Amino acid sequence: MSSSDLTRYMAYWRIDPRPDPYTAAAVVAYWMAAIHGNKNVDLDTFVLRMPVPETPAQRQLRFLMGFRACPRKSRA
């Protein structure tokens, strides 16, 4: 592949990006579930969602909340 071909393909992919393979696979899985009788299915069930990274403050808060996860029973 020549440099000019590579430049042309790179410019084309900026204008018209290639489809996301995970979304394409989710659409196929959604239709297969619908065809086989699952009526309560949603496309969001099959789409992968990347989790948002946890900030240090959130991690510290989760750590501190872990100590209160099993509260002591009051002796009344």
Side-chain angles (χ1 to χ4, degrees):
M1 176 182 280
S2 68
S3 175
S4 62
D5 287 340
L6 179 62
T7 305
R8 186 170 13 131
Y9 283 121
M10 288 173 61
Y12 175 74
W13 286 332
R14 285 184 185 161
I15 295 170
D16 187 20
R18 299 180 61 117
D20 181 21
Y22 296 114
T23 304
V27 170
V28 171
Y30 168 76
W31 280 107
M32 291 301 291
I35 288 170
H36 289 288
N38 192 344
K39 303 288 185 202
N40 299 328
V41 69
D42 189 20
L43 183 61
D44 290 334
T45 307
F46 299 104
V47 176
L48 293 176
R49 302 283 183 219
M50 296 303 292
V52 177
E54 193 175 51
T55 64
Q58 290 171 334
R59 188 177 307 120
Q60 189 177 28
L61 180 63
R62 185 171 48 88
F63 176 75
L64 293 174
M65 293 298 288
F67 289 113
R68 288 184 255 157
C70 301
R72 287 187 246 167
K73 295 182 180 179
S74 62
R75 296 181 185 178

Coordinates of all heavy atoms in Angstrom, one line a residue:
M1 N 0.9 -1.2 0.0 CA 0.0 0.0 0.0 C 0.9 1.2 0.0 O 1.8 1.4 0.8 CB -0.9 0.0 1.2 CG -1.7 1.2 1.4 SD -2.8 1.2 2.9 CE -4.1 0.2 2.4
S2 N 0.6 2.1 -0.9 CA 1.4 3.3 -1.0 C 1.0 4.4 0.1 O 0.0 4.3 0.7 CB 1.3 3.9 -2.4 OG 0.0 4.4 -2.6
S3 N 1.9 5.4 0.2 CA 1.6 6.4 1.2 C 0.3 7.2 0.8 O -0.5 7.6 1.7 CB 2.8 7.3 1.3 OG 2.5 8.4 2.1
S4 N 0.1 7.4 -0.5 CA -1.0 8.2 -0.9 C -2.3 7.4 -0.7 O -3.3 8.0 -0.3 CB -0.9 8.6 -2.4 OG -0.9 7.4 -3.2
D5 N -2.3 6.1 -0.8 CA -3.5 5.2 -0.5 C -3.8 5.3 1.0 O -4.9 5.4 1.4 CB -3.2 3.8 -0.9 CG -3.2 3.6 -2.4 OD1 -3.8 4.5 -3.1 OD2 -2.7 2.6 -2.9
L6 N -2.7 5.2 1.8 CA -2.9 5.2 3.2 C -3.5 6.6 3.7 O -4.5 6.6 4.5 CB -1.6 5.0 4.0 CG -1.7 5.0 5.5 CD1 -2.6 3.9 6.0 CD2 -0.3 4.8 6.1
T7 N -3.0 7.6 3.1 CA -3.5 9.0 3.4 C -5.0 9.1 3.0 O -5.8 9.7 3.7 CB -2.7 10.1 2.7 OG1 -1.3 9.9 3.1 CG2 -3.1 11.4 3.1
R8 N -5.3 8.6 1.8 CA -6.7 8.6 1.3 C -7.6 7.9 2.3 O -8.7 8.3 2.6 CB -6.8 8.1 -0.1 CG -8.1 8.3 -0.7 CD -8.2 8.0 -2.2 NE -7.0 7.3 -2.7 CZ -7.0 6.2 -3.4 NH1 -8.2 5.7 -3.8 NH2 -5.9 5.6 -3.8
Y9 N -7.2 6.6 2.7 CA -8.1 5.8 3.6 C -8.2 6.5 5.0 O -9.3 6.5 5.5 CB -7.5 4.4 3.7 CG -7.8 3.5 2.6 CD1 -6.7 3.0 1.9 CD2 -9.1 3.3 2.2 CE1 -7.0 2.2 0.8 CE2 -9.3 2.5 1.1 CZ -8.2 1.9 0.4 OH -8.5 1.1 -0.7
M10 N -7.1 7.1 5.4 CA -7.2 7.8 6.7 C -8.2 9.0 6.7 O -8.9 9.2 7.6 CB -5.8 8.2 7.2 CG -4.9 7.1 7.6 SD -3.2 7.5 8.0 CE -3.4 8.7 9.3
A11 N -8.1 9.7 5.6 CA -9.0 10.8 5.4 C -10.5 10.4 5.3 O -11.4 11.0 5.9 CB -8.7 11.7 4.2
Y12 N -10.7 9.3 4.6 CA -12.0 8.7 4.5 C -12.6 8.2 5.8 O -13.7 8.5 6.1 CB -12.0 7.5 3.5 CG -13.4 6.9 3.4 CD1 -14.4 7.5 2.7 CD2 -13.6 5.6 3.9 CE1 -15.7 6.8 2.6 CE2 -14.8 5.0 3.9 CZ -15.8 5.6 3.2 OH -17.1 5.0 3.1
W13 N -11.8 7.6 6.6 CA -12.2 7.1 7.9 C -12.5 8.2 8.9 O -13.3 8.0 9.8 CB -11.2 6.1 8.5 CG -11.2 4.8 7.8 CD1 -12.3 4.2 7.2 CD2 -10.1 3.9 7.7 NE1 -11.9 3.0 6.7 CE2 -10.6 2.8 7.0 CE3 -8.8 3.9 8.1 CZ2 -9.8 1.7 6.7 CZ3 -8.0 2.9 7.8 CH2 -8.5 1.8 7.1
R14 N -11.9 9.4 8.7 CA -12.3 10.5 9.5 C -13.6 11.1 9.2 O -14.4 11.5 10.0 CB -11.2 11.6 9.4 CG -10.0 11.3 10.1 CD -9.0 12.5 10.0 NE -7.7 12.1 10.6 CZ -6.6 12.8 10.4 NH1 -6.6 13.8 9.6 NH2 -5.5 12.4 11.0
I15 N -14.0 11.1 7.9 CA -15.3 11.5 7.4 C -16.3 10.5 7.7 O -17.4 10.9 8.3 CB -15.2 11.8 5.9 CG1 -14.3 13.0 5.6 CG2 -16.6 12.2 5.4 CD1 -14.0 13.1 4.1
D16 N -16.1 9.3 7.4 CA -17.1 8.2 7.6 C -16.4 7.1 8.4 O -15.9 6.2 7.9 CB -17.6 7.7 6.2 CG -18.7 6.7 6.3 OD1 -19.4 6.7 7.4 OD2 -18.9 5.9 5.4
P17 N -16.5 7.2 9.8 CA -15.8 6.2 10.6 C -16.4 4.8 10.4 O -17.6 4.6 10.1 CB -16.0 6.7 12.0 CG -17.2 7.6 11.9 CD -17.2 8.1 10.6
R18 N -15.6 3.8 10.6 CA -16.0 2.4 10.5 C -17.0 2.1 11.7 O -16.9 2.7 12.7 CB -14.8 1.5 10.6 CG -13.8 1.7 9.5 CD -12.7 0.8 9.6 NE -13.1 -0.5 9.5 CZ -12.8 -1.4 8.6 NH1 -12.0 -1.0 7.6 NH2 -13.3 -2.6 8.6
P19 N -17.9 1.2 11.5 CA -18.9 0.9 12.5 C -18.2 0.2 13.7 O -17.2 -0.5 13.5 CB -19.9 0.0 11.8 CG -19.2 -0.5 10.7 CD -18.2 0.5 10.2
D20 N -18.8 0.4 14.9 CA -18.3 -0.2 16.1 C -18.6 -1.7 16.0 O -19.8 -2.0 15.9 CB -18.9 0.5 17.3 CG -18.4 -0.1 18.6 OD1 -17.4 -0.7 18.6 OD2 -19.1 0.1 19.6
P21 N -17.7 -2.6 16.1 CA -18.0 -4.0 16.0 C -18.8 -4.5 17.2 O -19.6 -5.5 17.1 CB -16.6 -4.7 16.0 CG -15.7 -3.7 16.6 CD -16.2 -2.4 16.3
Y22 N -18.7 -3.9 18.4 CA -19.5 -4.3 19.5 C -21.0 -4.0 19.3 O -21.8 -4.8 19.7 CB -19.0 -3.7 20.8 CG -17.6 -4.1 21.2 CD1 -16.5 -3.2 21.1 CD2 -17.3 -5.5 21.5 CE1 -15.2 -3.7 21.4 CE2 -16.0 -5.9 21.8 CZ -15.0 -5.0 21.8 OH -13.7 -5.4 22.0
T23 N -21.2 -2.8 18.8 CA -22.6 -2.4 18.5 C -23.2 -3.3 17.4 O -24.4 -3.7 17.5 CB -22.7 -1.0 18.1 OG1 -22.1 -0.2 19.1 CG2 -24.1 -0.5 17.9
A24 N -22.4 -3.6 16.4 CA -22.9 -4.5 15.4 C -23.3 -5.9 15.9 O -24.3 -6.5 15.6 CB -21.9 -4.6 14.2
A25 N -22.4 -6.4 16.8 CA -22.7 -7.7 17.4 C -23.9 -7.7 18.4 O -24.6 -8.6 18.5 CB -21.4 -8.2 18.2
A26 N -24.1 -6.5 19.0 CA -25.2 -6.3 19.9 C -26.5 -6.4 19.1 O -27.5 -6.9 19.5 CB -25.1 -5.0 20.7
V27 N -26.5 -5.8 17.9 CA -27.7 -5.8 17.0 C -28.0 -7.2 16.6 O -29.2 -7.6 16.6 CB -27.5 -4.8 15.8 CG1 -28.6 -5.0 14.8 CG2 -27.4 -3.4 16.3
V28 N -27.0 -7.9 16.2 CA -27.2 -9.3 15.8 C -27.8 -10.1 17.0 O -28.8 -10.9 16.8 CB -25.9 -10.0 15.3 CG1 -26.1 -11.4 15.1 CG2 -25.5 -9.3 14.0
A29 N -27.2 -10.0 18.2 CA -27.7 -10.7 19.4 C -29.2 -10.3 19.7 O -30.0 -11.2 20.1 CB -26.8 -10.4 20.5
Y30 N -29.5 -9.0 19.6 CA -30.8 -8.5 19.8 C -31.8 -9.2 18.9 O -32.9 -9.7 19.3 CB -30.9 -7.0 19.7 CG -32.2 -6.4 19.7 CD1 -33.0 -6.3 20.8 CD2 -32.8 -6.0 18.5 CE1 -34.3 -5.8 20.8 CE2 -34.1 -5.5 18.5 CZ -34.8 -5.4 19.6 OH -36.1 -4.9 19.6
W31 N -31.5 -9.2 17.6 CA -32.4 -9.8 16.7 C -32.5 -11.3 16.9 O -33.6 -11.9 16.7 CB -32.0 -9.5 15.2 CG -32.4 -8.1 14.9 CD1 -31.7 -7.0 14.7 CD2 -33.8 -7.7 14.7 NE1 -32.4 -5.9 14.4 CE2 -33.7 -6.3 14.4 CE3 -35.0 -8.3 14.7 CZ2 -34.9 -5.6 14.1 CZ3 -36.2 -7.6 14.4 CH2 -36.1 -6.2 14.1
M32 N -31.5 -12.0 17.2 CA -31.5 -13.4 17.4 C -32.4 -13.7 18.6 O -33.2 -14.7 18.6 CB -30.1 -14.0 17.7 CG -29.3 -14.0 16.4 SD -30.0 -14.9 15.1 CE -29.9 -16.6 15.7
A33 N -32.3 -12.9 19.7 CA -33.2 -13.1 20.9 C -34.6 -12.8 20.5 O -35.6 -13.5 21.0 CB -32.7 -12.2 22.0
A34 N -34.9 -11.8 19.7 CA -36.3 -11.5 19.3 C -36.9 -12.5 18.4 O -38.0 -12.9 18.6 CB -36.3 -10.1 18.6
I35 N -36.1 -13.1 17.5 CA -36.6 -14.1 16.6 C -36.9 -15.4 17.4 O -37.9 -16.0 17.0 CB -35.5 -14.4 15.5 CG1 -35.4 -13.2 14.5 CG2 -35.8 -15.7 14.8 CD1 -34.3 -13.3 13.6
H36 N -36.1 -15.7 18.4 CA -36.4 -16.9 19.1 C -37.4 -16.8 20.3 O -37.5 -17.6 21.1 CB -35.0 -17.5 19.7 CG -34.2 -18.0 18.6 ND1 -34.5 -19.2 17.9 CD2 -33.1 -17.5 18.0 CE1 -33.6 -19.4 17.0 NE2 -32.7 -18.4 17.0
G37 N -38.2 -15.7 20.2 CA -39.3 -15.6 21.1 C -39.1 -14.7 22.4 O -40.0 -14.7 23.2
N38 N -38.0 -14.1 22.6 CA -37.8 -13.3 23.8 C -38.4 -11.9 23.5 O -37.9 -11.1 22.8 CB -36.4 -13.2 24.2 CG -36.2 -12.6 25.6 OD1 -37.1 -12.1 26.1 ND2 -35.0 -12.8 26.1
K39 N -39.6 -11.7 24.1 CA -40.3 -10.4 23.8 C -39.8 -9.3 24.8 O -40.0 -8.1 24.4 CB -41.8 -10.6 24.0 CG -42.4 -11.7 23.2 CD -42.5 -11.3 21.7 CE -43.2 -12.3 20.9 NZ -42.9 -12.3 19.6
N40 N -39.3 -9.6 25.9 CA -38.9 -8.6 26.9 C -37.4 -8.2 26.8 O -36.7 -8.0 27.8 CB -39.2 -9.0 28.3 CG -40.7 -9.3 28.5 OD1 -41.5 -8.6 27.9 ND2 -41.0 -10.3 29.3
V41 N -36.9 -8.1 25.6 CA -35.5 -7.8 25.4 C -35.3 -6.4 24.8 O -36.2 -5.9 24.1 CB -34.8 -8.9 24.4 CG1 -35.3 -8.7 23.0 CG2 -33.3 -8.8 24.5
D42 N -34.2 -5.7 25.2 CA -33.9 -4.4 24.8 C -32.5 -4.4 24.2 O -31.7 -5.2 24.7 CB -34.1 -3.4 26.0 CG -34.0 -2.0 25.6 OD1 -34.2 -1.7 24.4 OD2 -33.7 -1.2 26.4
L43 N -32.3 -3.5 23.3 CA -30.9 -3.5 22.7 C -29.9 -3.1 23.7 O -28.7 -3.6 23.6 CB -30.9 -2.5 21.5 CG -29.6 -2.4 20.7 CD1 -29.2 -3.7 20.1 CD2 -29.7 -1.3 19.7
D44 N -30.2 -2.3 24.7 CA -29.2 -1.9 25.7 C -28.8 -3.1 26.5 O -27.7 -3.1 27.2 CB -29.8 -0.9 26.6 CG -30.0 0.4 25.9 OD1 -29.2 0.7 24.9 OD2 -30.8 1.2 26.3
T45 N -29.5 -4.2 26.5 CA -29.1 -5.4 27.2 C -27.8 -6.0 26.6 O -27.0 -6.5 27.4 CB -30.2 -6.5 27.1 OG1 -31.4 -5.9 27.5 CG2 -29.9 -7.7 27.9
F46 N -27.6 -5.8 25.3 CA -26.5 -6.5 24.7 C -25.3 -5.5 24.4 O -24.3 -6.0 24.0 CB -27.0 -7.1 23.3 CG -28.0 -8.1 23.5 CD1 -29.3 -7.9 23.3 CD2 -27.7 -9.4 24.0 CE1 -30.3 -8.8 23.4 CE2 -28.6 -10.4 24.2 CZ -30.0 -10.1 23.9
V47 N -25.6 -4.2 24.5 CA -24.5 -3.2 24.2 C -23.6 -3.1 25.4 O -24.0 -3.0 26.5 CB -25.1 -1.9 23.9 CG1 -24.0 -0.8 23.7 CG2 -26.0 -1.9 22.6
L48 N -22.3 -3.3 25.1 CA -21.3 -3.2 26.2 C -21.1 -1.7 26.6 O -21.0 -0.8 25.7 CB -19.9 -3.7 25.7 CG -19.9 -5.2 25.5 CD1 -18.5 -5.6 24.9 CD2 -20.1 -6.0 26.7
R49 N -21.1 -1.4 27.8 CA -20.9 -0.1 28.4 C -19.6 -0.1 29.2 O -19.5 -0.9 30.1 CB -22.1 0.4 29.2 CG -23.4 0.4 28.6 CD -23.5 1.6 27.7 NE -24.9 1.5 27.1 CZ -25.1 1.9 25.8 NH1 -24.1 2.2 25.0 NH2 -26.3 1.8 25.3
M50 N -18.7 0.8 28.9 CA -17.5 0.9 29.6 C -17.8 1.7 30.9 O -18.4 2.7 30.9 CB -16.4 1.6 28.8 CG -16.1 0.9 27.5 SD -15.5 -0.7 27.8 CE -13.9 -0.4 28.6
P51 N -17.3 1.1 32.0 CA -17.6 1.8 33.3 C -16.7 3.1 33.4 O -15.6 3.2 32.9 CB -17.1 0.8 34.3 CG -16.2 -0.1 33.6 CD -16.6 -0.1 32.2
V52 N -17.3 4.1 34.0 CA -16.6 5.3 34.3 C -15.5 5.1 35.4 O -15.9 4.5 36.4 CB -17.6 6.4 34.7 CG1 -16.8 7.7 35.0 CG2 -18.6 6.6 33.6
P53 N -14.3 5.5 35.2 CA -13.3 5.3 36.2 C -13.6 6.0 37.5 O -14.2 7.1 37.5 CB -12.0 5.8 35.6 CG -12.3 6.0 34.1 CD -13.7 6.1 34.0
E54 N -13.3 5.3 38.6 CA -13.6 5.8 39.9 C -12.5 6.9 40.3 O -11.3 6.6 40.1 CB -13.6 4.7 40.9 CG -14.1 4.9 42.2 CD -14.2 3.7 43.0 OE1 -13.1 3.0 43.1 OE2 -15.2 3.4 43.6
T55 N -12.9 8.0 40.8 CA -11.9 9.0 41.3 C -11.4 8.6 42.6 O -12.0 7.8 43.3 CB -12.6 10.4 41.4 OG1 -13.6 10.3 42.4 CG2 -13.2 10.8 40.1
P56 N -10.2 9.1 43.0 CA -9.7 8.8 44.3 C -10.6 9.1 45.5 O -10.7 8.4 46.5 CB -8.4 9.6 44.4 CG -8.0 9.8 43.0 CD -9.3 9.9 42.2
A57 N -11.4 10.2 45.4 CA -12.3 10.6 46.4 C -13.5 9.6 46.5 O -13.9 9.2 47.6 CB -12.9 12.0 46.2
Q58 N -13.9 9.1 45.4 CA -15.0 8.1 45.4 C -14.5 6.7 46.0 O -15.2 6.1 46.7 CB -15.5 7.8 44.0 CG -16.3 9.0 43.4 CD -16.6 8.8 42.0 OE1 -15.9 8.1 41.2 NE2 -17.7 9.4 41.5
R59 N -13.2 6.4 45.7 CA -12.7 5.2 46.2 C -12.5 5.3 47.7 O -12.8 4.3 48.4 CB -11.3 4.9 45.5 CG -10.7 3.6 45.8 CD -9.4 3.4 45.1 NE -9.5 3.6 43.7 CZ -8.8 4.5 43.0 NH1 -7.9 5.3 43.6 NH2 -9.0 4.6 41.7
Q60 N -12.1 6.4 48.2 CA -11.9 6.6 49.6 C -13.3 6.6 50.3 O -13.4 5.9 51.4 CB -11.3 7.9 49.9 CG -10.9 8.2 51.3 CD -10.1 9.5 51.5 OE1 -10.3 10.4 50.7 NE2 -9.2 9.5 52.5
L61 N -14.3 7.2 49.7 CA -15.6 7.1 50.3 C -16.2 5.7 50.3 O -16.8 5.3 51.3 CB -16.6 8.0 49.5 CG -18.0 8.1 50.0 CD1 -18.1 8.7 51.4 CD2 -18.9 8.9 49.1
R62 N -16.0 4.9 49.3 CA -16.4 3.6 49.2 C -15.7 2.7 50.3 O -16.3 1.9 51.0 CB -16.2 3.0 47.8 CG -16.7 1.6 47.7 CD -16.6 1.1 46.2 NE -15.3 1.3 45.6 CZ -14.3 0.4 45.7 NH1 -14.4 -0.7 46.4 NH2 -13.2 0.7 45.1
F63 N -14.5 3.0 50.5 CA -13.7 2.3 51.6 C -14.3 2.6 52.9 O -14.5 1.7 53.8 CB -12.2 2.7 51.5 CG -11.4 2.1 52.6 CD1 -11.0 0.8 52.6 CD2 -11.0 2.9 53.6 CE1 -10.2 0.2 53.6 CE2 -10.2 2.4 54.7 CZ -9.8 1.0 54.6
L64 N -14.6 3.9 53.2 CA -15.1 4.3 54.5 C -16.5 3.8 54.7 O -16.9 3.4 55.8 CB -15.1 5.8 54.7 CG -13.7 6.4 54.7 CD1 -13.7 7.9 54.7 CD2 -12.9 5.9 55.9
M65 N -17.3 3.7 53.7 CA -18.7 3.2 53.8 C -18.7 1.7 54.0 O -19.6 1.2 54.6 CB -19.5 3.5 52.5 CG -19.7 5.0 52.3 SD -20.7 5.7 53.6 CE -22.3 5.1 53.2
G66 N -17.6 1.0 53.6 CA -17.5 -0.4 53.9 C -17.5 -0.8 55.3 O -17.9 -1.9 55.7
F67 N -17.0 0.1 56.2 CA -17.0 -0.1 57.6 C -18.4 -0.1 58.2 O -18.7 -0.7 59.2 CB -16.1 0.8 58.3 CG -14.7 0.6 58.1 CD1 -13.9 1.5 57.3 CD2 -14.0 -0.5 58.5 CE1 -12.6 1.3 57.1 CE2 -12.7 -0.8 58.2 CZ -12.0 0.2 57.5
R68 N -19.3 0.6 57.6 CA -20.7 0.7 58.0 C -21.6 -0.2 57.3 O -22.8 -0.1 57.5 CB -21.2 2.2 57.9 CG -20.5 3.1 58.9 CD -21.1 4.5 58.7 NE -20.1 5.3 58.0 CZ -20.3 6.3 57.4 NH1 -21.5 6.8 57.3 NH2 -19.3 7.0 56.8
A69 N -21.1 -1.1 56.5 CA -21.9 -2.1 55.8 C -22.7 -3.0 56.7 O -23.8 -3.4 56.4 CB -21.1 -2.8 54.8
C70 N -22.1 -3.4 57.8 CA -22.7 -4.3 58.8 C -22.8 -3.6 60.1 O -22.0 -3.8 61.0 CB -21.8 -5.6 58.9 SG -21.6 -6.5 57.4
P71 N -23.9 -2.8 60.3 CA -24.0 -2.1 61.5 C -24.3 -3.0 62.7 O -24.8 -4.1 62.5 CB -25.2 -1.2 61.3 CG -26.0 -1.8 60.2 CD -25.0 -2.6 59.4
R72 N -23.8 -2.6 63.9 CA -24.0 -3.4 65.1 C -25.5 -3.3 65.5 O -26.1 -2.3 65.3 CB -23.2 -2.9 66.2 CG -21.7 -3.3 66.0 CD -21.0 -2.9 67.3 NE -20.0 -1.9 66.9 CZ -19.4 -1.1 67.7 NH1 -19.6 -1.2 69.0 NH2 -18.6 -0.2 67.3
K73 N -26.0 -4.4 66.0 CA -27.4 -4.3 66.5 C -27.4 -3.6 67.9 O -26.5 -3.8 68.7 CB -27.9 -5.8 66.7 CG -28.1 -6.5 65.4 CD -28.6 -7.9 65.7 CE -28.8 -8.6 64.4 NZ -29.3 -10.0 64.6
S74 N -28.4 -2.8 68.0 CA -28.4 -2.0 69.3 C -29.0 -2.9 70.4 O -29.8 -3.8 70.2 CB -29.4 -0.8 69.1 OG -30.6 -1.2 68.8
R75 N -28.4 -2.7 71.6 CA -28.9 -3.5 72.7 C -29.9 -2.7 73.5 O -29.6 -2.0 74.4 CB -27.7 -3.8 73.6 CG -26.7 -4.7 72.9 CD -25.5 -5.0 73.8 NE -24.5 -5.7 73.1 CZ -23.4 -6.1 73.7 NH1 -23.1 -5.8 74.9 NH2 -22.5 -6.7 73.0
A76 N -31.1 -2.8 73.1 CA -32.2 -2.1 73.7 C -33.1 -2.9 74.6 O -33.1 -4.1 74.6 CB -33.0 -1.4 72.7

